[in-house]
Amino acid sequence: MLSAPFPYIANTAGWITAEAGRQPWLIYGLMRTHEGVSPHVSAGNALFTLIGFMGMYVVLAILFLLLVYREIDHGPEAA
Amino acid sequence: MQTIWFMLVAVMIAVYVVLDGFDLGAGIVHLLVARTDRERRQVLRSIGPVWDGNEVWLLAGGGTLYFAFPALYASSFSGFYLPLMMVLWLLILRGISIEFRNHIDSLVWKPFWDVVFGGASALLAIFFGAALGNVVRGVPLDDANEFFLPLWTNFGIGREVGILDWYTVLVAVAAFATLLVHGALWVALKTDGELERRARKAAQAGWWALLPLTAAITWCSFAIQPRLGASFGARPWGYVFPLLAVAGLIGMRALDRREPRAVLVLVAVHRGDADQRGVRAVSLCAAVEHRPAARADGLQRGCRAVRIEGGAGVVHSGNAAGYGLLRVYLSELCGEGGAGG
C-alpha cells in the first residue's frame, strides 16, 4: 500500500530532471530556449493557461484520490 | 509533393470531423433525448468503444500538419493559443465525464457528469465551428508570418479581428446544428424505442435549422473571402464538394421517408486559398447518415424486429475500436445487422 505513490514520484522526478537538465537548450546544441518562444503569446496568456491547467489537474487529482479511496474501502472481491 | 501532404492533412481532418462529429453530436443531444439513467447509459455505450479512437484522427491531423507544414503549424498554434488551450480543457472534461460517470451511483454525481459531458460537447462543436470560420476568413499575418488573435474585439470584420466576430459565430452556430443532427442520427441508429424516436425528432428539428444556416454561411463565406470564389473559378472540379454537401442535406430528408435501411454518408470538403503562402484551408465537412424510423405498419414491423437484434449486437460489440467501428457500422447499414462486430 505504501509503495503506491512511488511510481508517480519517480515518473515526475524523471521528467523534471530531463526538462531542467537540458536548459538552456531547446534542441541540444542547436536552438536556445529563448529562440523558441512564440513572440505573440504574452506572459499573461501563458500564466492564464498555466493556472488553468493547474486548476484542472488539482480537480482531477482530488477526483482520482476520491475514487481510489472508495475502491480501497470496498476491498477485493471475496474469493 | 506538397499537394499529397495537403490532401493527407485534409483527409485526416475531414475524417476527424465525420467520426468525432457523431460522438460530439451524441453529447449535444444526450441531455435532450435521453431522460432516464438507462437511456443515458445507452447513448454513452453507443459511443463508448469508439469516441477515443475517433479523437486520434485529430492528433494524426495535427501531427501531419507539424511534419508537413511546420511554418503553418508554428504560426497558427501560437496565434490561436488561447482557444486551442480551451479546446484541450474541454476535451479533458468530456473524456473524464464519460469515464467517471458510472463510478459512483448517486443522484448528484451522475447528473453532474452528464451536464459536463453535454456542455463540453456543445462547446467543442462551437469552438471547432469558430475555428473553421477563422480559417476561411483568414488572419492578419505580420512581416514574420506571425499573428495573435484576442478572443474577440468588436465582433466586426475589420483590421482588428478577434477569434469571435459575427461571421465566425455564425459558422460556429452552423457547426453546432450540423453536429446536433449528425449525433442525433447516430443515436437514432444505435438505439431503439422511445430514445430512438426522440433522437429522430431532434434530427428532424435540427435539419430545419441547418437549412437556412447552411445557406447563410455559404453566402457569407463567398462575401467575406473573395479568394474562395476565385479558387472555385480556377478549379471548377472543386464544386463537387459543395454539391455533395447539398446532396447530403436533401438525401437525409428524402431517404427518411422512403427506403428502409438506406444510408448516406457524405463528406464534403471545400477548400479556399487561406493565406499568402498558398497553404490552402480545409473547410466544411458535413456528414450525413440515416436510418429510417420504425413505423407501425405490418411490413415495417418485420424490419423492426430484425433491427432491434442488430442494434443489440452492435451495442454488445463493445471492444470494436477505430477501424472496427466502420466495419460494424457498415455491416449494420448493409442489413447484416448483428453480424457486425
Side-chain angles (χ1 to χ4, degrees), chain A residues 19-62:
Chain A
E19 289 295 330
R22 73 176 185 180
Q23 298 301 333
W25 297 102
L26 203 56
I27 304 170
Y28 188 74
L30 277 179
M31 189 183 185
R32 297 264 188 174
T33 303
H34 73 85
E35 293 168 318
V37 174
S38 299
H40 292 277
V41 178
S42 69
N45 281 321
L47 184 66
F48 170 71
T49 53
L50 178 66
I51 292 171
F53 272 108
M54 285 187 341
M56 178 78 83
Y57 278 100
V58 166
V59 172
L60 279 180
I62 292 169

Side-chain angles (χ1 to χ4, degrees), chain B residues 225-244:
Chain B
Q225 183 51 276
R227 286 196 212 130
L228 210 56
S231 180
F232 275 121
R235 290 172 283 270
W237 56 268
Y239 280 110
V240 166
F241 297 113
L243 285 178
L244 275 172

Side-chain angles (χ1 to χ4, degrees), chain B residues 224-303:
Chain B
I224 70 149
Q225 183 51 276
R227 286 196 212 130
L228 210 56
S231 180
F232 275 121
R235 290 172 283 270
W237 56 268
Y239 280 110
V240 166
F241 297 113
L243 285 178
L244 275 172
V246 172
L249 266 176
I250 298 169
M252 171 163 51
R253 197 72 194 165
L255 296 173
D256 194 31
R257 310 218 169 280
R258 273 174 279 130
E259 204 176 338
R261 291 187 165 278
V263 167
L264 196 62
V265 180
L266 280 181
V267 182
V269 180
H270 77 239
R271 13 150 103 175
D273 290 324
D275 72 31
Q276 290 126 336
R277 276 164 296 161
V279 181
R280 276 171 294 176
V282 192
S283 52
L284 188 77
C285 310
V288 171
E289 74 219 21
H290 166 75
R291 184 98 181 258
R295 279 183 203 88
D297 56 277
L299 187 80
Q300 293 283 355
R301 213 171 282 154
C303 285

Side-chain angles (χ1 to χ4, degrees), chain B residues 190-253:
Chain B
K190 285 292 179 189
T191 59
D192 47 50
E194 191 64 6
L195 181 55
E196 185 202 347
R197 199 186 57 76
R198 281 201 292 262
R200 197 164 298 285
K201 264 181 78 180
Q204 282 163 357
W207 189 84
W208 285 109
L210 198 52
L211 208 58
L213 282 167
T214 307
I217 58 166
T218 307
W219 189 83
C220 292
S221 299
F222 280 95
I224 70 149
Q225 183 51 276
R227 286 196 212 130
L228 210 56
S231 180
F232 275 121
R235 290 172 283 270
W237 56 268
Y239 280 110
V240 166
F241 297 113
L243 285 178
L244 275 172
V246 172
L249 266 176
I250 298 169
M252 171 163 51
R253 197 72 194 165

Side-chain angles (χ1 to χ4, degrees), chain A residues 38-41 45-46 48-49 52-53 56-57 60 63 66-67 70, chain B residues 78 81-82 85-86 88-89 96 100 103-104 109 113 142 146-148:
Chain A
S38 299
H40 292 277
V41 178
N45 281 321
F48 170 71
T49 53
F53 272 108
M56 178 78 83
Y57 278 100
L60 279 180
L63 287 170
L66 174 76
L67 290 174
R70 274 175 60 92
Chain B
S78 60
Y81 178 75
L82 288 177
M85 292 299 150
M86 290 178 192
L88 266 181
W89 295 342
I96 60 169
F100 279 2
H103 279 298
I104 297 180
W109 181 266
W113 290 114
D142 64 14
E146 299 273 1
F147 69 97
F148 184 81

